[in-house]
């Protein structure tokens, strides 16, 4: 399973993801990705949209 969070900055998207993850019980994080999804301009640090995706599974799944 996965859940994606977006924000106007990398930090905003990461904070949304971190807050959601902190409230979860019974799940195991498999991976987390962060990508710029908006205009980057001359540097990825200047991107105006970011997405953070948490990939997870039930702790009881094999």
């Amino acid at each position: 399973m996965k859940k994606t969070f977006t924000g106007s900055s990398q930090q905003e998207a990461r904070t949304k993801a971190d807050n959601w993850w902190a409230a979860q019980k019974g799940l195991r994080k498999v991976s987390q990705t962060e990508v710029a999804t908006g205009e980057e301009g001359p540097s990825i640090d200047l991107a105006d949209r970011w997405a953070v995706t948490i990939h997870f599974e039930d702790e009881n799944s094999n």
Side-chain angles (χ1 to χ4, degrees):
M1 296 178 276
K2 68 180 178 177
K3 185 149 179 82
T4 301
F5 303 87
T6 60
S8 58
S9 69
Q10 185 177 20
Q11 186 59 45
E12 180 184 351
R14 188 183 296 149
T15 297
K16 289 178 182 179
D18 290 346
N19 289 343
W20 178 83
W21 184 250
Q24 303 311 301
K25 304 286 184 229
L27 300 177
R28 176 177 37 249
K29 187 185 287 188
V30 175
S31 66
Q32 178 170 316
T33 58
E34 300 181 6
V35 296
T37 59
E39 294 294 323
E40 290 179 20
S43 168
I44 195 165
D45 293 331
L46 301 176
D48 64 355
R49 294 298 298 163
W50 283 84
V52 174
T53 302
I54 297 176
H55 299 265
F56 59 94
E57 61 189 17
D58 189 300
E59 283 185 343
N60 297 320
S61 68
N62 292 345

